[in-house]
Amino acid sequence: QVRLVESGGGLVQTGGSLRLSCTTSGIIFRDYTMAWYRQAPGKQRELVARITSGGSTNYADFVKGRFTISRDNAKNTVYLQMNSLKPEDTAVYCCHSNRNGVSNWGQGTHVTVSS
């Protein structure tokens, strides 16, 4: 079965940092595009960052210069390094995999940034 498990969320102060991890199983990880999405209460889910099987990345404008997505194919894991966190970054962050239209979601990890 396919499984995506996120970790690393928590409570931090404005300006702090967190590193999220998403470890996968049940897929040939190296062939998949991986992404991080987030959803705050009362708001739509939005794309935060994406990394292709070849290592190309793209970011939402609101995190450029602050967040970095990376992957370790040997560990079947994708990361999201989050720096200079702001209260508006508070959300549930979910991991997503996609290959030829076949996609999977993790359960999410909570990130809370206090002011």
Side-chain angles (χ1 to χ4, degrees):
Q1 67 183 66
V2 177
R3 182 178 296 177
L4 283 67
V5 181
E6 302 96 335
S7 62
L11 173 64
V12 297
Q13 294 182 332
T14 298
S17 297
L18 286 172
R19 190 178 78 154
L20 307 183
S21 299
C22 172
T23 300
T24 68
S25 60
I27 63 171
I28 304 176
F29 180 80
R30 68 178 67 179
D31 294 336
Y32 279 74
T33 293
M34 303 298 300
W36 289 96
Y37 289 77
R38 72 185 187 186
Q39 187 168 25
K43 295 185 177 181
Q44 295 182 337
R45 184 170 59 195
E46 59 188 355
L47 175 68
V48 177
R50 176 179 285 130
I51 184 166
T52 70
S53 61
S56 297
T57 60
N58 64 280
Y59 298 90
D61 287 342
F62 52 81
V63 303
K64 285 183 178 178
R66 300 190 298 123
F67 292 8
T68 302
I69 189 170
S70 61
R71 66 192 296 156
D72 187 338
N73 288 342
K75 296 182 178 180
N76 296 330
T77 298
V78 62
Y79 304 95
L80 185 68
Q81 178 67 48
M82 305 186 295
N83 299 325
S84 302
L85 284 162
K86 307 173 182 179
E88 50 264 45
D89 295 320
T90 296
V92 176
Y93 285 72
C94 295
C95 181
H96 179 262
S97 66
N98 179 262
R99 173 64 172 167
N100 294 330
V102 178
S103 64
N104 293 279
W105 291 93
Q107 288 187 295
T109 185
H110 290 259
V111 172
T112 302
V113 184
S114 65
S115 60

